[in-house]
Amino acid sequence: MIDKKTREEIIRLVRSEVVPAIGCTEPMCVALCTAKATEQLGCRPARITALLSANILKNAMGVGIPGTGMIGLPIAIALGAIVGKSEYQLEVLKDLTPEALEEGKRYINEGRIDIQLKQGITEKLYVEIIVDSEGEKPRRETAIIAGSHTHFVECGERTDQQDSPLPSSLPPMPLTLRLVYDFATTAPLDEIRFIEEAREYNMNAAREALKGNYGHNLGKTIDRPLSKGIFGNSIFCHIIARTASACDARMGGAMIPVMSNSGSGNQGICATNPVCVYAKENENTEEELIRALMLSHLTAIYIKQSLGTLSALCGCVVASIGSSVGITYLMGGSYDRICAAVKNMVANLTGMICDGAKPSCSLKITSGVSTAVLSALLAMEGKCVSSSEGIVDDCVDKCIHNLTAIGANGMGPTDEMVLRIMTSKGC
């Protein structure tokens, strides 16, 4: 049994990283920062300047903004100023009304928003919002988020646009897969029961998605008779459909909250829905589901510690590893079997690029979840990719860090190339 102090630290970590969000977290982060700057100004800004890191721009260019039928940053920024409340965090736009949406469209058409790439920073998650008022005594206020999607590092009046200090980074609580496993499987159930909220949010998102047509309708397509003739009416098919549906809705701009993981709603969905569907259809107990969900989410948090909040590596790789671990546990797998599932995942999905948040993210999530199930099955059969193959290592933690080293360091030029391609397309 892990000592109480360590358990409390891990619970605080999970509670800080697994939080509700409406819509894609990057534009919501920008809207949140805009709302904060506007609150500081005390009136609707006459002009808004957004200085953003390349990764924020990449992840916010092509994604639907909830309740608007529109994509991209301009409407997120406009609504952040008009209806946003910083106290709502990543649900900052949940008070959106049709009237506010029309005001936001007018605000954009009046040319009041200027979006730029922030120069001279290394932080991948950086949002600086500068708001100006009109009148005899014009004022300027700023708000800056850096490091994580809700971490404000500077708020206050500004007289210019000088570079702003980044937060001193606190060392994350050191995790290992063994610690993650021991915590999830031995912690008193009442201490970790809160993770069930992820099921309530994310499975509800999957159900709500079926009521509309969002994104590429991947989840609904998998549920149709033609697909069942290919995939069958199986647990595997249901896992893919329920996970893809929630992603379809989220990326398609549905006003549906989801429980995010490490700043990403898609990661939260991917770490939750496959585990929930498998547990239900395999008739696992409530306790087993709770522990599997904690195992999945905490594994994803652990991997993100060395990968970073935003990276060139698609987040579904990380979250799918979490869901594979959770499913392996639900299959009755031991710690050794779980390690095997992780290695099988690393051998397969490493290198999948992140080319921004968008409706087709559901396709990538489907690839990740499919591999998660396959890796779990192989692990339960005693099959594991060996250390003589590729980047896999005998030590599971070293294997994970090989993956994150590639994503955080090795794929840097890939990230730059992806952004250049995305910003130079004729369409």
Side-chain angles (χ1 to χ4, degrees), residues 143-162:
I144 296 175
I145 289 176
S148 68
H149 291 78
T150 59
H151 185 200
F152 286 97
V153 298
E154 180 178 329
C155 294
E157 189 169 355
R158 290 173 67 88
T159 56
D160 54 44
Q161 296 186 23
Q162 77 270 18

PDB file of all heavy atoms in Angstrom, residues 143-162:
ATOM      1  N   ALA A 143      -3.100  39.704 -20.422  1.00  0.00           N
ATOM      2  CA  ALA A 143      -3.134  38.443 -19.674  1.00  0.00           C
ATOM      3  C   ALA A 143      -2.294  37.447 -20.456  1.00  0.00           C
ATOM      4  O   ALA A 143      -2.313  37.439 -21.693  1.00  0.00           O
ATOM      5  CB  ALA A 143      -4.560  37.937 -19.509  1.00  0.00           C
ATOM      6  N   ILE A 144      -1.560  36.627 -19.727  1.00  0.00           N
ATOM      7  CA  ILE A 144      -0.681  35.639 -20.361  1.00  0.00           C
ATOM      8  C   ILE A 144      -0.906  34.284 -19.720  1.00  0.00           C
ATOM      9  O   ILE A 144      -0.928  34.156 -18.489  1.00  0.00           O
ATOM     10  CB  ILE A 144       0.808  36.030 -20.229  1.00  0.00           C
ATOM     11  CG1 ILE A 144       1.077  37.336 -20.971  1.00  0.00           C
ATOM     12  CG2 ILE A 144       1.707  34.920 -20.755  1.00  0.00           C
ATOM     13  CD1 ILE A 144       2.492  37.850 -20.785  1.00  0.00           C
ATOM     14  N   ILE A 145      -1.080  33.283 -20.559  1.00  0.00           N
ATOM     15  CA  ILE A 145      -1.133  31.893 -20.130  1.00  0.00           C
ATOM     16  C   ILE A 145       0.066  31.185 -20.726  1.00  0.00           C
ATOM     17  O   ILE A 145       0.355  31.346 -21.915  1.00  0.00           O
ATOM     18  CB  ILE A 145      -2.436  31.211 -20.590  1.00  0.00           C
ATOM     19  CG1 ILE A 145      -3.639  31.749 -19.801  1.00  0.00           C
ATOM     20  CG2 ILE A 145      -2.353  29.696 -20.457  1.00  0.00           C
ATOM     21  CD1 ILE A 145      -4.980  31.206 -20.263  1.00  0.00           C
ATOM     22  N   ALA A 146       0.765  30.400 -19.931  1.00  0.00           N
ATOM     23  CA  ALA A 146       1.918  29.650 -20.440  1.00  0.00           C
ATOM     24  C   ALA A 146       2.105  28.385 -19.630  1.00  0.00           C
ATOM     25  O   ALA A 146       1.781  28.328 -18.444  1.00  0.00           O
ATOM     26  CB  ALA A 146       3.193  30.497 -20.380  1.00  0.00           C
ATOM     27  N   GLY A 147       2.593  27.360 -20.286  1.00  0.00           N
ATOM     28  CA  GLY A 147       2.930  26.114 -19.603  1.00  0.00           C
ATOM     29  C   GLY A 147       1.801  25.116 -19.577  1.00  0.00           C
ATOM     30  O   GLY A 147       1.988  23.945 -19.884  1.00  0.00           O
ATOM     31  N   SER A 148       0.615  25.553 -19.186  1.00  0.00           N
ATOM     32  CA  SER A 148      -0.575  24.706 -19.227  1.00  0.00           C
ATOM     33  C   SER A 148      -1.769  25.594 -19.571  1.00  0.00           C
ATOM     34  O   SER A 148      -1.691  26.817 -19.486  1.00  0.00           O
ATOM     35  CB  SER A 148      -0.798  23.983 -17.898  1.00  0.00           C
ATOM     36  OG  SER A 148      -1.143  24.902 -16.877  1.00  0.00           O
ATOM     37  N   HIS A 149      -2.885  24.969 -19.952  1.00  0.00           N
ATOM     38  CA  HIS A 149      -3.978  25.697 -20.576  1.00  0.00           C
ATOM     39  C   HIS A 149      -4.686  26.696 -19.674  1.00  0.00           C
ATOM     40  O   HIS A 149      -5.401  27.567 -20.166  1.00  0.00           O
ATOM     41  CB  HIS A 149      -5.013  24.704 -21.119  1.00  0.00           C
ATOM     42  CG  HIS A 149      -4.521  23.915 -22.297  1.00  0.00           C
ATOM     43  ND1 HIS A 149      -3.672  22.843 -22.163  1.00  0.00           N
ATOM     44  CD2 HIS A 149      -4.758  24.046 -23.625  1.00  0.00           C
ATOM     45  CE1 HIS A 149      -3.416  22.348 -23.366  1.00  0.00           C
ATOM     46  NE2 HIS A 149      -4.058  23.052 -24.261  1.00  0.00           N
ATOM     47  N   THR A 150      -4.522  26.584 -18.370  1.00  0.00           N
ATOM     48  CA  THR A 150      -5.216  27.505 -17.460  1.00  0.00           C
ATOM     49  C   THR A 150      -4.255  28.226 -16.517  1.00  0.00           C
ATOM     50  O   THR A 150      -4.690  28.828 -15.543  1.00  0.00           O
ATOM     51  CB  THR A 150      -6.271  26.739 -16.622  1.00  0.00           C
ATOM     52  OG1 THR A 150      -5.616  25.703 -15.878  1.00  0.00           O
ATOM     53  CG2 THR A 150      -7.338  26.123 -17.520  1.00  0.00           C
ATOM     54  N   HIS A 151      -2.966  28.177 -16.818  1.00  0.00           N
ATOM     55  CA  HIS A 151      -1.954  28.743 -15.928  1.00  0.00           C
ATOM     56  C   HIS A 151      -1.627  30.179 -16.323  1.00  0.00           C
ATOM     57  O   HIS A 151      -0.876  30.430 -17.256  1.00  0.00           O
ATOM     58  CB  HIS A 151      -0.680  27.892 -15.958  1.00  0.00           C
ATOM     59  CG  HIS A 151       0.356  28.349 -14.981  1.00  0.00           C
ATOM     60  ND1 HIS A 151       1.679  28.018 -15.090  1.00  0.00           N
ATOM     61  CD2 HIS A 151       0.257  29.119 -13.872  1.00  0.00           C
ATOM     62  CE1 HIS A 151       2.358  28.561 -14.102  1.00  0.00           C
ATOM     63  NE2 HIS A 151       1.512  29.235 -13.354  1.00  0.00           N
ATOM     64  N   PHE A 152      -2.210  31.137 -15.615  1.00  0.00           N
ATOM     65  CA  PHE A 152      -1.919  32.542 -15.858  1.00  0.00           C
ATOM     66  C   PHE A 152      -0.590  32.903 -15.215  1.00  0.00           C
ATOM     67  O   PHE A 152      -0.363  32.631 -14.035  1.00  0.00           O
ATOM     68  CB  PHE A 152      -3.031  33.431 -15.288  1.00  0.00           C
ATOM     69  CG  PHE A 152      -4.286  33.412 -16.096  1.00  0.00           C
ATOM     70  CD1 PHE A 152      -5.343  32.584 -15.738  1.00  0.00           C
ATOM     71  CD2 PHE A 152      -4.411  34.213 -17.220  1.00  0.00           C
ATOM     72  CE1 PHE A 152      -6.513  32.561 -16.487  1.00  0.00           C
ATOM     73  CE2 PHE A 152      -5.584  34.197 -17.974  1.00  0.00           C
ATOM     74  CZ  PHE A 152      -6.625  33.367 -17.611  1.00  0.00           C
ATOM     75  N   VAL A 153       0.275  33.544 -15.993  1.00  0.00           N
ATOM     76  CA  VAL A 153       1.585  33.922 -15.467  1.00  0.00           C
ATOM     77  C   VAL A 153       1.751  35.422 -15.352  1.00  0.00           C
ATOM     78  O   VAL A 153       2.685  35.901 -14.738  1.00  0.00           O
ATOM     79  CB  VAL A 153       2.727  33.338 -16.318  1.00  0.00           C
ATOM     80  CG1 VAL A 153       2.669  31.824 -16.294  1.00  0.00           C
ATOM     81  CG2 VAL A 153       2.672  33.837 -17.757  1.00  0.00           C
ATOM     82  N   GLU A 154       0.865  36.184 -15.998  1.00  0.00           N
ATOM     83  CA  GLU A 154       0.920  37.634 -15.848  1.00  0.00           C
ATOM     84  C   GLU A 154      -0.423  38.224 -16.181  1.00  0.00           C
ATOM     85  O   GLU A 154      -1.037  37.878 -17.190  1.00  0.00           O
ATOM     86  CB  GLU A 154       1.980  38.256 -16.759  1.00  0.00           C
ATOM     87  CG  GLU A 154       2.052  39.773 -16.626  1.00  0.00           C
ATOM     88  CD  GLU A 154       3.145  40.380 -17.489  1.00  0.00           C
ATOM     89  OE1 GLU A 154       4.163  39.715 -17.711  1.00  0.00           O
ATOM     90  OE2 GLU A 154       2.965  41.513 -17.940  1.00  0.00           O
ATOM     91  N   CYS A 155      -0.903  39.093 -15.340  1.00  0.00           N
ATOM     92  CA  CYS A 155      -2.117  39.852 -15.632  1.00  0.00           C
ATOM     93  C   CYS A 155      -1.895  41.263 -15.140  1.00  0.00           C
ATOM     94  O   CYS A 155      -1.367  41.474 -14.049  1.00  0.00           O
ATOM     95  CB  CYS A 155      -3.342  39.263 -14.923  1.00  0.00           C
ATOM     96  SG  CYS A 155      -3.822  37.630 -15.496  1.00  0.00           S
ATOM     97  N   GLY A 156      -2.278  42.249 -15.914  1.00  0.00           N
ATOM     98  CA  GLY A 156      -2.144  43.619 -15.447  1.00  0.00           C
ATOM     99  C   GLY A 156      -2.012  44.611 -16.575  1.00  0.00           C
ATOM    100  O   GLY A 156      -2.033  44.263 -17.749  1.00  0.00           O
ATOM    101  N   GLU A 157      -1.862  45.887 -16.197  1.00  0.00           N
ATOM    102  CA  GLU A 157      -1.787  46.951 -17.187  1.00  0.00           C
ATOM    103  C   GLU A 157      -0.429  46.934 -17.857  1.00  0.00           C
ATOM    104  O   GLU A 157       0.603  46.671 -17.238  1.00  0.00           O
ATOM    105  CB  GLU A 157      -2.014  48.305 -16.497  1.00  0.00           C
ATOM    106  CG  GLU A 157      -2.158  49.446 -17.481  1.00  0.00           C
ATOM    107  CD  GLU A 157      -2.641  50.712 -16.800  1.00  0.00           C
ATOM    108  OE1 GLU A 157      -2.949  50.651 -15.594  1.00  0.00           O
ATOM    109  OE2 GLU A 157      -2.715  51.731 -17.488  1.00  0.00           O
ATOM    110  N   ARG A 158      -0.431  47.222 -19.171  1.00  0.00           N
ATOM    111  CA  ARG A 158       0.812  47.252 -19.935  1.00  0.00           C
ATOM    112  C   ARG A 158       0.903  48.571 -20.685  1.00  0.00           C
ATOM    113  O   ARG A 158      -0.091  49.155 -21.102  1.00  0.00           O
ATOM    114  CB  ARG A 158       0.850  46.104 -20.956  1.00  0.00           C
ATOM    115  CG  ARG A 158       1.004  44.753 -20.326  1.00  0.00           C
ATOM    116  CD  ARG A 158       0.869  43.663 -21.361  1.00  0.00           C
ATOM    117  NE  ARG A 158       1.967  43.665 -22.320  1.00  0.00           N
ATOM    118  CZ  ARG A 158       3.103  43.002 -22.130  1.00  0.00           C
ATOM    119  NH1 ARG A 158       3.292  42.328 -21.036  1.00  0.00           N
ATOM    120  NH2 ARG A 158       4.041  43.027 -23.041  1.00  0.00           N
ATOM    121  N   THR A 159       2.117  48.990 -20.902  1.00  0.00           N
ATOM    122  CA  THR A 159       2.342  50.190 -21.687  1.00  0.00           C
ATOM    123  C   THR A 159       2.991  49.867 -23.021  1.00  0.00           C
ATOM    124  O   THR A 159       3.099  50.720 -23.879  1.00  0.00           O
ATOM    125  CB  THR A 159       3.253  51.158 -20.906  1.00  0.00           C
ATOM    126  OG1 THR A 159       4.463  50.474 -20.575  1.00  0.00           O
ATOM    127  CG2 THR A 159       2.576  51.595 -19.623  1.00  0.00           C
ATOM    128  N   ASP A 160       3.452  48.625 -23.205  1.00  0.00           N
ATOM    129  CA  ASP A 160       4.063  48.223 -24.470  1.00  0.00           C
ATOM    130  C   ASP A 160       3.918  46.726 -24.612  1.00  0.00           C
ATOM    131  O   ASP A 160       3.265  46.067 -23.831  1.00  0.00           O
ATOM    132  CB  ASP A 160       5.549  48.637 -24.527  1.00  0.00           C
ATOM    133  CG  ASP A 160       6.328  48.110 -23.333  1.00  0.00           C
ATOM    134  OD1 ASP A 160       6.125  46.928 -22.985  1.00  0.00           O
ATOM    135  OD2 ASP A 160       7.118  48.859 -22.748  1.00  0.00           O
ATOM    136  N   GLN A 161       4.580  46.158 -25.623  1.00  0.00           N
ATOM    137  CA  GLN A 161       4.465  44.734 -25.890  1.00  0.00           C
ATOM    138  C   GLN A 161       5.800  44.035 -25.664  1.00  0.00           C
ATOM    139  O   GLN A 161       6.222  43.198 -26.440  1.00  0.00           O
ATOM    140  CB  GLN A 161       3.957  44.496 -27.313  1.00  0.00           C
ATOM    141  CG  GLN A 161       2.563  45.016 -27.531  1.00  0.00           C
ATOM    142  CD  GLN A 161       2.032  44.634 -28.900  1.00  0.00           C
ATOM    143  OE1 GLN A 161       2.474  43.686 -29.521  1.00  0.00           O
ATOM    144  NE2 GLN A 161       1.059  45.383 -29.377  1.00  0.00           N
ATOM    145  N   GLN A 162       6.486  44.410 -24.607  1.00  0.00           N
ATOM    146  CA  GLN A 162       7.768  43.783 -24.335  1.00  0.00           C
ATOM    147  C   GLN A 162       7.566  42.309 -23.992  1.00  0.00           C
ATOM    148  O   GLN A 162       6.485  41.895 -23.595  1.00  0.00           O
ATOM    149  CB  GLN A 162       8.490  44.498 -23.174  1.00  0.00           C
ATOM    150  CG  GLN A 162       7.954  44.143 -21.778  1.00  0.00           C
ATOM    151  CD  GLN A 162       6.845  45.054 -21.334  1.00  0.00           C
ATOM    152  OE1 GLN A 162       6.235  45.737 -22.147  1.00  0.00           O
ATOM    153  NE2 GLN A 162       6.581  45.071 -20.044  1.00  0.00           N
TER     154      GLN A 162
END
